[in-house]
Amino acid sequence: MDHARGNPARETSPAKGYAPSHKGAAKVARFRLAVSFAKAVLDRRTELGLSQAEVAERAGLSQAKIARIESAAAFPTLPLLRRLAVALNASLNIAMDAETEQITFTSHPAA
């Protein structure tokens, strides 16, 4: 054991009775939701064969904003969700509870 580093066994296992803080759990849930949304946007954009710039133009956003959404670095507001759904010619479906989230784009039927 390297005494300068402390007890390695303790570093890898939580203390008895330890529970993650509510704030920490909320951050994890937000990140998980952002990643799920990012994947849904990327999958739909790829399905349509569109570039980030093309989606951005359709949604009235910058390409950089689409890149931040697809990398889970930004999470859009409700009005922006609608703009993305319209730009991706789809309905946005979000189902979530305490432990899971499911985010999908359902394409609109061809007119």
Side-chain angles (χ1 to χ4, degrees), residues 28-46:
V28 169
R30 181 178 168 89
F31 178 72
R32 196 176 63 222
L33 186 59
V35 169
S36 294
F37 185 71
K39 182 178 179 340
V41 171
L42 176 63
D43 290 349
R44 178 64 181 159
R45 179 177 65 78
T46 303

Side-chain angles (χ1 to χ4, degrees), residues 37-85:
F37 185 71
K39 182 178 179 340
V41 171
L42 176 63
D43 290 349
R44 178 64 181 159
R45 179 177 65 78
T46 303
E47 179 183 322
L48 293 173
L50 298 173
S51 68
Q52 288 180 345
E54 290 168 321
V55 172
E57 185 177 330
R58 288 178 172 203
L61 302 169
S62 68
Q63 180 274 326
K65 181 68 172 183
I66 299 299
R68 284 193 304 275
I69 290 168
E70 287 186 358
S71 67
F75 196 76
T77 61
L78 288 173
L80 201 131
L81 291 174
R82 179 187 303 258
R83 289 167 63 184
L84 284 169

Side-chain angles (χ1 to χ4, degrees), residues 32-33 36 94-103:
R32 196 176 63 222
L33 186 59
S36 294
I94 302 173
M96 64 180 108
D97 62 22
E99 298 298 320
T100 61
E101 55 280 326
Q102 183 178 7
I103 302 172

